[in-house]
Amino acid sequence: MTKPLLLNDPIYGFITVNSELVKSIIEHPYFQRLRRIRQLGMTHLVYSGAHHTRFHHALGAMHLMGMAVDELRIKQTEISKEEEEAVLLAVLLH
């Protein structure tokens, strides 16, 4: 297994990606294009701290889903690694 991908999100801080498939999707040029699409439109012109792109939004949503999967596992719900990877990809590409 290679090193995990460590991303610094402006809202959630450091996000760790352990899955090779998820990592390859995030590093793909088509996904990287989301860095140029603003999530909040022209809001950054009024509020300088409101710089949030579709890339950041997708990563944050994936991070929250990972936290939800962890919480379900704590509550004794059986979730396989394949199912976890599938829901992470679904949310990442929503």
Side-chain angles (χ1 to χ4, degrees):
M1 185 165 138
T2 62
K3 292 189 335 186
L5 180 64
L6 186 64
L7 303 163
N8 189 6
D9 186 73
I11 295 174
Y12 299 109
F14 290 107
I15 298 173
T16 305
V17 178
N18 294 317
S19 168
E20 286 298 318
L21 181 58
V22 175
K23 182 178 168 183
S24 68
I25 296 292
I26 291 172
E27 292 175 344
H28 195 278
Y30 288 160
F31 191 79
Q32 290 293 317
R33 288 173 45 182
L34 294 176
R35 289 178 182 266
R36 296 190 301 261
I37 301 172
R38 297 189 188 280
Q39 178 72 14
L40 301 175
M42 304 282 282
T43 309
H44 70 284
L45 297 174
V46 177
Y47 303 102
S48 60
H51 180 76
H52 193 62
T53 64
R54 289 295 296 173
F55 182 80
H56 293 124
H57 171 74
L59 290 178
M62 183 195 68
H63 174 67
L64 290 177
M65 180 55 75
M67 291 173 57
V69 168
D70 291 341
E71 189 66 30
L72 287 171
R73 283 191 175 134
I74 289 172
K75 295 180 179 181
Q76 306 304 319
T77 304
E78 290 187 29
I79 300 173
S80 69
K81 285 292 185 185
E82 292 81 16
E83 291 171 332
E84 178 184 13
E85 189 174 64
V87 296
L88 290 178
L89 282 173
V91 171
L92 184 68
L93 299 174
H94 79 281

PDB file of all heavy atoms in Angstrom, residues 15-39:
ATOM      1  N   ILE A  15      -7.692  16.169   5.682  1.00  0.00           N
ATOM      2  CA  ILE A  15      -8.499  15.017   5.285  1.00  0.00           C
ATOM      3  C   ILE A  15      -7.539  13.966   4.750  1.00  0.00           C
ATOM      4  O   ILE A  15      -6.742  14.249   3.857  1.00  0.00           O
ATOM      5  CB  ILE A  15      -9.534  15.399   4.204  1.00  0.00           C
ATOM      6  CG1 ILE A  15     -10.510  16.437   4.748  1.00  0.00           C
ATOM      7  CG2 ILE A  15     -10.252  14.173   3.685  1.00  0.00           C
ATOM      8  CD1 ILE A  15     -11.458  16.996   3.710  1.00  0.00           C
ATOM      9  N   THR A  16      -7.628  12.759   5.281  1.00  0.00           N
ATOM     10  CA  THR A  16      -6.772  11.660   4.851  1.00  0.00           C
ATOM     11  C   THR A  16      -7.560  10.732   3.943  1.00  0.00           C
ATOM     12  O   THR A  16      -8.677  10.328   4.276  1.00  0.00           O
ATOM     13  CB  THR A  16      -6.254  10.872   6.070  1.00  0.00           C
ATOM     14  OG1 THR A  16      -5.602  11.780   6.949  1.00  0.00           O
ATOM     15  CG2 THR A  16      -5.271   9.803   5.639  1.00  0.00           C
ATOM     16  N   VAL A  17      -6.971  10.387   2.794  1.00  0.00           N
ATOM     17  CA  VAL A  17      -7.585   9.454   1.844  1.00  0.00           C
ATOM     18  C   VAL A  17      -6.696   8.224   1.772  1.00  0.00           C
ATOM     19  O   VAL A  17      -5.549   8.308   1.343  1.00  0.00           O
ATOM     20  CB  VAL A  17      -7.737  10.103   0.450  1.00  0.00           C
ATOM     21  CG1 VAL A  17      -8.335   9.126  -0.532  1.00  0.00           C
ATOM     22  CG2 VAL A  17      -8.560  11.371   0.532  1.00  0.00           C
ATOM     23  N   ASN A  18      -7.227   7.076   2.205  1.00  0.00           N
ATOM     24  CA  ASN A  18      -6.453   5.839   2.231  1.00  0.00           C
ATOM     25  C   ASN A  18      -6.689   4.953   1.009  1.00  0.00           C
ATOM     26  O   ASN A  18      -5.857   4.140   0.666  1.00  0.00           O
ATOM     27  CB  ASN A  18      -6.763   5.050   3.500  1.00  0.00           C
ATOM     28  CG  ASN A  18      -6.280   5.779   4.734  1.00  0.00           C
ATOM     29  OD1 ASN A  18      -5.193   6.311   4.752  1.00  0.00           O
ATOM     30  ND2 ASN A  18      -7.107   5.816   5.751  1.00  0.00           N
ATOM     31  N   SER A  19      -7.831   5.090   0.361  1.00  0.00           N
ATOM     32  CA  SER A  19      -8.196   4.241  -0.773  1.00  0.00           C
ATOM     33  C   SER A  19      -7.447   4.677  -2.035  1.00  0.00           C
ATOM     34  O   SER A  19      -7.451   5.858  -2.405  1.00  0.00           O
ATOM     35  CB  SER A  19      -9.705   4.322  -1.019  1.00  0.00           C
ATOM     36  OG  SER A  19     -10.043   3.754  -2.252  1.00  0.00           O
ATOM     37  N   GLU A  20      -6.839   3.726  -2.711  1.00  0.00           N
ATOM     38  CA  GLU A  20      -6.117   4.022  -3.957  1.00  0.00           C
ATOM     39  C   GLU A  20      -7.073   4.488  -5.052  1.00  0.00           C
ATOM     40  O   GLU A  20      -6.739   5.374  -5.844  1.00  0.00           O
ATOM     41  CB  GLU A  20      -5.342   2.785  -4.428  1.00  0.00           C
ATOM     42  CG  GLU A  20      -4.103   2.510  -3.603  1.00  0.00           C
ATOM     43  CD  GLU A  20      -3.087   3.628  -3.678  1.00  0.00           C
ATOM     44  OE1 GLU A  20      -2.858   4.173  -4.765  1.00  0.00           O
ATOM     45  OE2 GLU A  20      -2.533   3.968  -2.623  1.00  0.00           O
ATOM     46  N   LEU A  21      -8.273   3.897  -5.114  1.00  0.00           N
ATOM     47  CA  LEU A  21      -9.241   4.281  -6.141  1.00  0.00           C
ATOM     48  C   LEU A  21      -9.720   5.711  -5.916  1.00  0.00           C
ATOM     49  O   LEU A  21      -9.759   6.517  -6.862  1.00  0.00           O
ATOM     50  CB  LEU A  21     -10.424   3.308  -6.156  1.00  0.00           C
ATOM     51  CG  LEU A  21     -11.501   3.582  -7.195  1.00  0.00           C
ATOM     52  CD1 LEU A  21     -10.916   3.576  -8.597  1.00  0.00           C
ATOM     53  CD2 LEU A  21     -12.619   2.574  -7.063  1.00  0.00           C
ATOM     54  N   VAL A  22     -10.069   6.048  -4.700  1.00  0.00           N
ATOM     55  CA  VAL A  22     -10.516   7.406  -4.385  1.00  0.00           C
ATOM     56  C   VAL A  22      -9.386   8.389  -4.651  1.00  0.00           C
ATOM     57  O   VAL A  22      -9.598   9.465  -5.219  1.00  0.00           O
ATOM     58  CB  VAL A  22     -11.008   7.490  -2.925  1.00  0.00           C
ATOM     59  CG1 VAL A  22     -11.353   8.922  -2.557  1.00  0.00           C
ATOM     60  CG2 VAL A  22     -12.204   6.576  -2.700  1.00  0.00           C
ATOM     61  N   LYS A  23      -8.178   8.021  -4.268  1.00  0.00           N
ATOM     62  CA  LYS A  23      -7.008   8.868  -4.497  1.00  0.00           C
ATOM     63  C   LYS A  23      -6.797   9.121  -5.994  1.00  0.00           C
ATOM     64  O   LYS A  23      -6.542  10.251  -6.411  1.00  0.00           O
ATOM     65  CB  LYS A  23      -5.779   8.199  -3.886  1.00  0.00           C
ATOM     66  CG  LYS A  23      -4.514   8.979  -4.000  1.00  0.00           C
ATOM     67  CD  LYS A  23      -3.374   8.228  -3.320  1.00  0.00           C
ATOM     68  CE  LYS A  23      -2.035   8.819  -3.636  1.00  0.00           C
ATOM     69  NZ  LYS A  23      -0.933   8.072  -3.050  1.00  0.00           N
ATOM     70  N   SER A  24      -6.948   8.080  -6.805  1.00  0.00           N
ATOM     71  CA  SER A  24      -6.749   8.250  -8.251  1.00  0.00           C
ATOM     72  C   SER A  24      -7.831   9.129  -8.866  1.00  0.00           C
ATOM     73  O   SER A  24      -7.558   9.884  -9.801  1.00  0.00           O
ATOM     74  CB  SER A  24      -6.694   6.894  -8.948  1.00  0.00           C
ATOM     75  OG  SER A  24      -7.948   6.255  -8.902  1.00  0.00           O
ATOM     76  N   ILE A  25      -9.061   9.057  -8.347  1.00  0.00           N
ATOM     77  CA  ILE A  25     -10.140   9.920  -8.843  1.00  0.00           C
ATOM     78  C   ILE A  25      -9.838  11.372  -8.491  1.00  0.00           C
ATOM     79  O   ILE A  25      -9.975  12.267  -9.331  1.00  0.00           O
ATOM     80  CB  ILE A  25     -11.504   9.492  -8.251  1.00  0.00           C
ATOM     81  CG1 ILE A  25     -11.900   8.092  -8.713  1.00  0.00           C
ATOM     82  CG2 ILE A  25     -12.592  10.513  -8.585  1.00  0.00           C
ATOM     83  CD1 ILE A  25     -12.228   7.975 -10.175  1.00  0.00           C
ATOM     84  N   ILE A  26      -9.418  11.634  -7.258  1.00  0.00           N
ATOM     85  CA  ILE A  26      -9.120  12.999  -6.833  1.00  0.00           C
ATOM     86  C   ILE A  26      -7.964  13.580  -7.645  1.00  0.00           C
ATOM     87  O   ILE A  26      -7.981  14.757  -8.011  1.00  0.00           O
ATOM     88  CB  ILE A  26      -8.802  13.038  -5.323  1.00  0.00           C
ATOM     89  CG1 ILE A  26     -10.061  12.734  -4.515  1.00  0.00           C
ATOM     90  CG2 ILE A  26      -8.220  14.393  -4.910  1.00  0.00           C
ATOM     91  CD1 ILE A  26      -9.825  12.557  -3.039  1.00  0.00           C
ATOM     92  N   GLU A  27      -6.983  12.777  -7.960  1.00  0.00           N
ATOM     93  CA  GLU A  27      -5.817  13.265  -8.703  1.00  0.00           C
ATOM     94  C   GLU A  27      -6.044  13.360 -10.205  1.00  0.00           C
ATOM     95  O   GLU A  27      -5.201  13.903 -10.922  1.00  0.00           O
ATOM     96  CB  GLU A  27      -4.624  12.358  -8.418  1.00  0.00           C
ATOM     97  CG  GLU A  27      -4.128  12.468  -6.993  1.00  0.00           C
ATOM     98  CD  GLU A  27      -3.029  11.484  -6.663  1.00  0.00           C
ATOM     99  OE1 GLU A  27      -2.830  10.512  -7.425  1.00  0.00           O
ATOM    100  OE2 GLU A  27      -2.376  11.683  -5.626  1.00  0.00           O
ATOM    101  N   HIS A  28      -7.180  12.871 -10.700  1.00  0.00           N
ATOM    102  CA  HIS A  28      -7.453  12.897 -12.140  1.00  0.00           C
ATOM    103  C   HIS A  28      -7.677  14.347 -12.606  1.00  0.00           C
ATOM    104  O   HIS A  28      -8.293  15.148 -11.903  1.00  0.00           O
ATOM    105  CB  HIS A  28      -8.685  12.049 -12.456  1.00  0.00           C
ATOM    106  CG  HIS A  28      -8.819  11.748 -13.900  1.00  0.00           C
ATOM    107  ND1 HIS A  28      -9.371  12.638 -14.789  1.00  0.00           N
ATOM    108  CD2 HIS A  28      -8.451  10.664 -14.621  1.00  0.00           C
ATOM    109  CE1 HIS A  28      -9.352  12.118 -15.999  1.00  0.00           C
ATOM    110  NE2 HIS A  28      -8.792  10.920 -15.931  1.00  0.00           N
ATOM    111  N   PRO A  29      -7.196  14.697 -13.794  1.00  0.00           N
ATOM    112  CA  PRO A  29      -7.359  16.076 -14.293  1.00  0.00           C
ATOM    113  C   PRO A  29      -8.814  16.535 -14.400  1.00  0.00           C
ATOM    114  O   PRO A  29      -9.102  17.719 -14.167  1.00  0.00           O
ATOM    115  CB  PRO A  29      -6.701  16.036 -15.677  1.00  0.00           C
ATOM    116  CG  PRO A  29      -5.743  14.913 -15.616  1.00  0.00           C
ATOM    117  CD  PRO A  29      -6.340  13.904 -14.680  1.00  0.00           C
ATOM    118  N   TYR A  30      -9.747  15.639 -14.723  1.00  0.00           N
ATOM    119  CA  TYR A  30     -11.154  16.042 -14.807  1.00  0.00           C
ATOM    120  C   TYR A  30     -11.683  16.474 -13.450  1.00  0.00           C
ATOM    121  O   TYR A  30     -12.452  17.432 -13.344  1.00  0.00           O
ATOM    122  CB  TYR A  30     -12.022  14.913 -15.346  1.00  0.00           C
ATOM    123  CG  TYR A  30     -11.829  14.626 -16.815  1.00  0.00           C
ATOM    124  CD1 TYR A  30     -12.212  13.417 -17.357  1.00  0.00           C
ATOM    125  CD2 TYR A  30     -11.248  15.559 -17.668  1.00  0.00           C
ATOM    126  CE1 TYR A  30     -12.037  13.133 -18.694  1.00  0.00           C
ATOM    127  CE2 TYR A  30     -11.068  15.292 -19.017  1.00  0.00           C
ATOM    128  CZ  TYR A  30     -11.472  14.079 -19.522  1.00  0.00           C
ATOM    129  OH  TYR A  30     -11.306  13.806 -20.852  1.00  0.00           O
ATOM    130  N   PHE A  31     -11.288  15.764 -12.406  1.00  0.00           N
ATOM    131  CA  PHE A  31     -11.736  16.140 -11.058  1.00  0.00           C
ATOM    132  C   PHE A  31     -11.034  17.418 -10.605  1.00  0.00           C
ATOM    133  O   PHE A  31     -11.634  18.265  -9.937  1.00  0.00           O
ATOM    134  CB  PHE A  31     -11.481  15.003 -10.062  1.00  0.00           C
ATOM    135  CG  PHE A  31     -12.148  15.215  -8.743  1.00  0.00           C
ATOM    136  CD1 PHE A  31     -13.492  14.954  -8.577  1.00  0.00           C
ATOM    137  CD2 PHE A  31     -11.438  15.706  -7.665  1.00  0.00           C
ATOM    138  CE1 PHE A  31     -14.115  15.169  -7.371  1.00  0.00           C
ATOM    139  CE2 PHE A  31     -12.049  15.921  -6.449  1.00  0.00           C
ATOM    140  CZ  PHE A  31     -13.399  15.648  -6.304  1.00  0.00           C
ATOM    141  N   GLN A  32      -9.784  17.590 -10.969  1.00  0.00           N
ATOM    142  CA  GLN A  32      -9.030  18.787 -10.590  1.00  0.00           C
ATOM    143  C   GLN A  32      -9.625  20.055 -11.207  1.00  0.00           C
ATOM    144  O   GLN A  32      -9.454  21.149 -10.669  1.00  0.00           O
ATOM    145  CB  GLN A  32      -7.563  18.646 -10.995  1.00  0.00           C
ATOM    146  CG  GLN A  32      -6.798  17.620 -10.192  1.00  0.00           C
ATOM    147  CD  GLN A  32      -6.628  18.037  -8.749  1.00  0.00           C
ATOM    148  OE1 GLN A  32      -6.333  19.175  -8.446  1.00  0.00           O
ATOM    149  NE2 GLN A  32      -6.823  17.077  -7.856  1.00  0.00           N
ATOM    150  N   ARG A  33     -10.365  19.905 -12.297  1.00  0.00           N
ATOM    151  CA  ARG A  33     -11.013  21.066 -12.923  1.00  0.00           C
ATOM    152  C   ARG A  33     -12.040  21.708 -12.006  1.00  0.00           C
ATOM    153  O   ARG A  33     -12.399  22.876 -12.170  1.00  0.00           O
ATOM    154  CB  ARG A  33     -11.675  20.658 -14.237  1.00  0.00           C
ATOM    155  CG  ARG A  33     -10.680  20.378 -15.332  1.00  0.00           C
ATOM    156  CD  ARG A  33     -11.311  19.813 -16.561  1.00  0.00           C
ATOM    157  NE  ARG A  33     -12.520  20.512 -16.952  1.00  0.00           N
ATOM    158  CZ  ARG A  33     -13.280  20.167 -17.984  1.00  0.00           C
ATOM    159  NH1 ARG A  33     -12.941  19.129 -18.726  1.00  0.00           N
ATOM    160  NH2 ARG A  33     -14.355  20.829 -18.274  1.00  0.00           N
ATOM    161  N   LEU A  34     -12.524  20.945 -11.018  1.00  0.00           N
ATOM    162  CA  LEU A  34     -13.507  21.492 -10.079  1.00  0.00           C
ATOM    163  C   LEU A  34     -12.915  22.613  -9.228  1.00  0.00           C
ATOM    164  O   LEU A  34     -13.656  23.387  -8.622  1.00  0.00           O
ATOM    165  CB  LEU A  34     -14.042  20.387  -9.164  1.00  0.00           C
ATOM    166  CG  LEU A  34     -14.867  19.304  -9.840  1.00  0.00           C
ATOM    167  CD1 LEU A  34     -15.233  18.230  -8.836  1.00  0.00           C
ATOM    168  CD2 LEU A  34     -16.105  19.892 -10.487  1.00  0.00           C
ATOM    169  N   ARG A  35     -11.596  22.723  -9.187  1.00  0.00           N
ATOM    170  CA  ARG A  35     -10.949  23.795  -8.421  1.00  0.00           C
ATOM    171  C   ARG A  35     -11.291  25.171  -8.987  1.00  0.00           C
ATOM    172  O   ARG A  35     -11.209  26.173  -8.278  1.00  0.00           O
ATOM    173  CB  ARG A  35      -9.431  23.630  -8.444  1.00  0.00           C
ATOM    174  CG  ARG A  35      -8.925  22.473  -7.634  1.00  0.00           C
ATOM    175  CD  ARG A  35      -7.401  22.392  -7.770  1.00  0.00           C
ATOM    176  NE  ARG A  35      -6.850  21.267  -7.063  1.00  0.00           N
ATOM    177  CZ  ARG A  35      -6.379  21.309  -5.817  1.00  0.00           C
ATOM    178  NH1 ARG A  35      -6.421  22.423  -5.139  1.00  0.00           N
ATOM    179  NH2 ARG A  35      -5.873  20.224  -5.261  1.00  0.00           N
ATOM    180  N   ARG A  36     -11.684  25.234 -10.264  1.00  0.00           N
ATOM    181  CA  ARG A  36     -11.971  26.517 -10.917  1.00  0.00           C
ATOM    182  C   ARG A  36     -13.445  26.907 -10.866  1.00  0.00           C
ATOM    183  O   ARG A  36     -13.806  27.991 -11.328  1.00  0.00           O
ATOM    184  CB  ARG A  36     -11.506  26.466 -12.364  1.00  0.00           C
ATOM    185  CG  ARG A  36     -10.013  26.300 -12.503  1.00  0.00           C
ATOM    186  CD  ARG A  36      -9.546  26.500 -13.924  1.00  0.00           C
ATOM    187  NE  ARG A  36     -10.148  25.574 -14.866  1.00  0.00           N
ATOM    188  CZ  ARG A  36      -9.566  24.471 -15.316  1.00  0.00           C
ATOM    189  NH1 ARG A  36      -8.365  24.149 -14.885  1.00  0.00           N
ATOM    190  NH2 ARG A  36     -10.171  23.692 -16.192  1.00  0.00           N
ATOM    191  N   ILE A  37     -14.305  26.046 -10.340  1.00  0.00           N
ATOM    192  CA  ILE A  37     -15.741  26.336 -10.281  1.00  0.00           C
ATOM    193  C   ILE A  37     -16.090  26.758  -8.859  1.00  0.00           C
ATOM    194  O   ILE A  37     -15.920  25.992  -7.920  1.00  0.00           O
ATOM    195  CB  ILE A  37     -16.568  25.105 -10.707  1.00  0.00           C
ATOM    196  CG1 ILE A  37     -16.191  24.682 -12.115  1.00  0.00           C
ATOM    197  CG2 ILE A  37     -18.055  25.413 -10.605  1.00  0.00           C
ATOM    198  CD1 ILE A  37     -16.798  23.377 -12.548  1.00  0.00           C
ATOM    199  N   ARG A  38     -16.590  27.958  -8.719  1.00  0.00           N
ATOM    200  CA  ARG A  38     -16.893  28.478  -7.386  1.00  0.00           C
ATOM    201  C   ARG A  38     -18.238  27.941  -6.889  1.00  0.00           C
ATOM    202  O   ARG A  38     -19.235  27.987  -7.600  1.00  0.00           O
ATOM    203  CB  ARG A  38     -16.920  29.994  -7.400  1.00  0.00           C
ATOM    204  CG  ARG A  38     -15.583  30.582  -7.764  1.00  0.00           C
ATOM    205  CD  ARG A  38     -15.600  32.084  -7.542  1.00  0.00           C
ATOM    206  NE  ARG A  38     -14.406  32.688  -8.065  1.00  0.00           N
ATOM    207  CZ  ARG A  38     -13.240  32.700  -7.441  1.00  0.00           C
ATOM    208  NH1 ARG A  38     -13.128  32.131  -6.287  1.00  0.00           N
ATOM    209  NH2 ARG A  38     -12.201  33.299  -7.988  1.00  0.00           N
ATOM    210  N   GLN A  39     -18.253  27.494  -5.659  1.00  0.00           N
ATOM    211  CA  GLN A  39     -19.461  26.965  -5.031  1.00  0.00           C
ATOM    212  C   GLN A  39     -20.400  28.101  -4.624  1.00  0.00           C
ATOM    213  O   GLN A  39     -21.601  27.957  -4.653  1.00  0.00           O
ATOM    214  CB  GLN A  39     -19.080  26.124  -3.807  1.00  0.00           C
ATOM    215  CG  GLN A  39     -20.238  25.549  -3.043  1.00  0.00           C
ATOM    216  CD  GLN A  39     -20.933  24.416  -3.768  1.00  0.00           C
ATOM    217  OE1 GLN A  39     -20.419  23.868  -4.728  1.00  0.00           O
ATOM    218  NE2 GLN A  39     -22.108  24.080  -3.323  1.00  0.00           N
TER     219      GLN A  39
END
